[in-house]
PDB file of all heavy atoms in Angstrom:
ATOM      1  N   ARG A1182     -18.485  -1.566   3.482  1.00  0.00           N
ATOM      2  CA  ARG A1182     -17.520  -2.202   2.620  1.00  0.00           C
ATOM      3  C   ARG A1182     -16.262  -1.325   2.537  1.00  0.00           C
ATOM      4  O   ARG A1182     -16.394  -0.102   2.499  1.00  0.00           O
ATOM      5  CB  ARG A1182     -18.189  -2.400   1.260  1.00  0.00           C
ATOM      6  CG  ARG A1182     -17.432  -3.692   0.625  1.00  0.00           C
ATOM      7  CD  ARG A1182     -17.621  -3.622  -0.870  1.00  0.00           C
ATOM      8  NE  ARG A1182     -16.783  -2.495  -1.505  1.00  0.00           N
ATOM      9  CZ  ARG A1182     -17.184  -1.727  -2.511  1.00  0.00           C
ATOM     10  NH1 ARG A1182     -18.322  -2.003  -3.003  1.00  0.00           N
ATOM     11  NH2 ARG A1182     -16.362  -0.862  -2.932  1.00  0.00           N
ATOM     12  N   GLN A1232     -12.516  -0.312 -10.767  1.00  0.00           N
ATOM     13  CA  GLN A1232     -13.822   0.068 -11.340  1.00  0.00           C
ATOM     14  C   GLN A1232     -14.833  -0.916 -10.720  1.00  0.00           C
ATOM     15  O   GLN A1232     -15.933  -0.506 -10.467  1.00  0.00           O
ATOM     16  CB  GLN A1232     -13.853  -0.039 -12.827  1.00  0.00           C
ATOM     17  CG  GLN A1232     -12.894   0.811 -13.568  1.00  0.00           C
ATOM     18  CD  GLN A1232     -13.005   2.300 -13.121  1.00  0.00           C
ATOM     19  OE1 GLN A1232     -14.153   2.767 -13.357  1.00  0.00           O
ATOM     20  NE2 GLN A1232     -12.090   2.970 -12.597  1.00  0.00           N
ATOM     21  N   VAL A1233     -14.611  -2.182 -10.600  1.00  0.00           N
ATOM     22  CA  VAL A1233     -15.617  -3.082 -10.079  1.00  0.00           C
ATOM     23  C   VAL A1233     -15.901  -2.784  -8.562  1.00  0.00           C
ATOM     24  O   VAL A1233     -17.075  -2.897  -8.221  1.00  0.00           O
ATOM     25  CB  VAL A1233     -14.984  -4.571 -10.091  1.00  0.00           C
ATOM     26  CG1 VAL A1233     -16.002  -5.583  -9.276  1.00  0.00           C
ATOM     27  CG2 VAL A1233     -14.900  -4.976 -11.539  1.00  0.00           C
ATOM     28  N   PHE A1234     -14.889  -2.290  -7.859  1.00  0.00           N
ATOM     29  CA  PHE A1234     -15.229  -1.906  -6.596  1.00  0.00           C
ATOM     30  C   PHE A1234     -15.441  -0.481  -6.316  1.00  0.00           C
ATOM     31  O   PHE A1234     -15.049   0.345  -5.360  1.00  0.00           O
ATOM     32  CB  PHE A1234     -14.009  -2.330  -5.634  1.00  0.00           C
ATOM     33  CG  PHE A1234     -14.096  -3.804  -5.230  1.00  0.00           C
ATOM     34  CD1 PHE A1234     -13.367  -4.732  -5.991  1.00  0.00           C
ATOM     35  CD2 PHE A1234     -14.889  -4.265  -4.218  1.00  0.00           C
ATOM     36  CE1 PHE A1234     -13.409  -6.066  -5.600  1.00  0.00           C
ATOM     37  CE2 PHE A1234     -14.865  -5.619  -3.961  1.00  0.00           C
ATOM     38  CZ  PHE A1234     -14.174  -6.476  -4.512  1.00  0.00           C
ATOM     39  N   ASP A1235     -16.089   0.156  -7.399  1.00  0.00           N
ATOM     40  CA  ASP A1235     -16.624   1.461  -7.342  1.00  0.00           C
ATOM     41  C   ASP A1235     -15.679   2.723  -7.105  1.00  0.00           C
ATOM     42  O   ASP A1235     -15.885   3.526  -6.175  1.00  0.00           O
ATOM     43  CB  ASP A1235     -17.627   1.631  -6.110  1.00  0.00           C
ATOM     44  CG  ASP A1235     -18.830   0.599  -6.138  1.00  0.00           C
ATOM     45  OD1 ASP A1235     -19.418   0.507  -7.308  1.00  0.00           O
ATOM     46  OD2 ASP A1235     -19.034  -0.110  -5.221  1.00  0.00           O
ATOM     47  N   PRO A1247     -20.092   5.802  -4.342  1.00  0.00           N
ATOM     48  CA  PRO A1247     -21.165   4.769  -4.216  1.00  0.00           C
ATOM     49  C   PRO A1247     -20.459   3.466  -3.600  1.00  0.00           C
ATOM     50  O   PRO A1247     -19.258   3.246  -3.753  1.00  0.00           O
ATOM     51  CB  PRO A1247     -21.472   4.573  -5.727  1.00  0.00           C
ATOM     52  CG  PRO A1247     -20.241   4.974  -6.440  1.00  0.00           C
ATOM     53  CD  PRO A1247     -19.626   6.009  -5.669  1.00  0.00           C
ATOM     54  N   SER A1248     -21.310   2.639  -3.064  1.00  0.00           N
ATOM     55  CA  SER A1248     -20.866   1.307  -2.461  1.00  0.00           C
ATOM     56  C   SER A1248     -21.831   0.324  -2.813  1.00  0.00           C
ATOM     57  O   SER A1248     -22.733   0.076  -2.124  1.00  0.00           O
ATOM     58  CB  SER A1248     -20.544   1.401  -0.937  1.00  0.00           C
ATOM     59  OG  SER A1248     -20.033   0.229  -0.366  1.00  0.00           O
ATOM     60  N   THR A1249     -21.538  -0.347  -3.906  1.00  0.00           N
ATOM     61  CA  THR A1249     -22.373  -1.364  -4.381  1.00  0.00           C
ATOM     62  C   THR A1249     -21.965  -2.800  -3.961  1.00  0.00           C
ATOM     63  O   THR A1249     -20.866  -3.052  -3.531  1.00  0.00           O
ATOM     64  CB  THR A1249     -22.498  -1.433  -5.908  1.00  0.00           C
ATOM     65  OG1 THR A1249     -21.106  -1.598  -6.475  1.00  0.00           O
ATOM     66  CG2 THR A1249     -22.870   0.016  -6.434  1.00  0.00           C
ATOM     67  N   THR A1250     -22.975  -3.670  -4.030  1.00  0.00           N
ATOM     68  CA  THR A1250     -22.727  -5.175  -3.834  1.00  0.00           C
ATOM     69  C   THR A1250     -23.161  -5.813  -5.068  1.00  0.00           C
ATOM     70  O   THR A1250     -24.391  -5.992  -5.332  1.00  0.00           O
ATOM     71  CB  THR A1250     -23.438  -5.676  -2.700  1.00  0.00           C
ATOM     72  OG1 THR A1250     -23.000  -4.936  -1.384  1.00  0.00           O
ATOM     73  CG2 THR A1250     -23.075  -7.154  -2.492  1.00  0.00           C
ATOM     74  N   ILE A1251     -22.274  -6.288  -6.036  1.00  0.00           N
ATOM     75  CA  ILE A1251     -22.658  -6.853  -7.340  1.00  0.00           C
ATOM     76  C   ILE A1251     -21.871  -8.043  -7.491  1.00  0.00           C
ATOM     77  O   ILE A1251     -20.843  -8.299  -7.029  1.00  0.00           O
ATOM     78  CB  ILE A1251     -22.308  -5.868  -8.463  1.00  0.00           C
ATOM     79  CG1 ILE A1251     -20.930  -5.350  -8.414  1.00  0.00           C
ATOM     80  CG2 ILE A1251     -23.313  -4.573  -8.346  1.00  0.00           C
ATOM     81  CD1 ILE A1251     -20.669  -4.295  -9.486  1.00  0.00           C
ATOM     82  N   GLN A1254     -18.034  -8.386  -8.419  1.00  0.00           N
ATOM     83  CA  GLN A1254     -17.032  -8.197  -7.259  1.00  0.00           C
ATOM     84  C   GLN A1254     -16.570  -9.669  -6.817  1.00  0.00           C
ATOM     85  O   GLN A1254     -15.346  -9.908  -6.604  1.00  0.00           O
ATOM     86  CB  GLN A1254     -17.612  -7.398  -6.157  1.00  0.00           C
ATOM     87  CG  GLN A1254     -17.788  -5.996  -6.518  1.00  0.00           C
ATOM     88  CD  GLN A1254     -18.722  -5.247  -5.558  1.00  0.00           C
ATOM     89  OE1 GLN A1254     -19.248  -5.821  -4.618  1.00  0.00           O
ATOM     90  NE2 GLN A1254     -18.840  -3.934  -5.731  1.00  0.00           N
ATOM     91  N   TYR A1351     -15.582  -6.092   4.531  1.00  0.00           N
ATOM     92  CA  TYR A1351     -16.579  -5.221   5.358  1.00  0.00           C
ATOM     93  C   TYR A1351     -15.990  -4.780   6.569  1.00  0.00           C
ATOM     94  O   TYR A1351     -15.405  -5.705   7.336  1.00  0.00           O
ATOM     95  CB  TYR A1351     -17.872  -5.812   5.407  1.00  0.00           C
ATOM     96  CG  TYR A1351     -18.813  -5.732   4.246  1.00  0.00           C
ATOM     97  CD1 TYR A1351     -18.658  -6.634   3.246  1.00  0.00           C
ATOM     98  CD2 TYR A1351     -19.710  -4.697   4.150  1.00  0.00           C
ATOM     99  CE1 TYR A1351     -19.476  -6.414   2.062  1.00  0.00           C
ATOM    100  CE2 TYR A1351     -20.524  -4.623   3.030  1.00  0.00           C
ATOM    101  CZ  TYR A1351     -20.352  -5.489   1.965  1.00  0.00           C
ATOM    102  OH  TYR A1351     -21.271  -5.387   0.935  1.00  0.00           O
TER     103      TYR A1351
END
Side-chain angles (χ1 to χ4, degrees):
R1182 205 203 69 215
Q1232 297 307 300
V1233 170
F1234 281 98
D1235 306 310
S1248 183
T1249 61
T1250 303
I1251 54 176
Q1254 295 165 353
Y1351 279 84

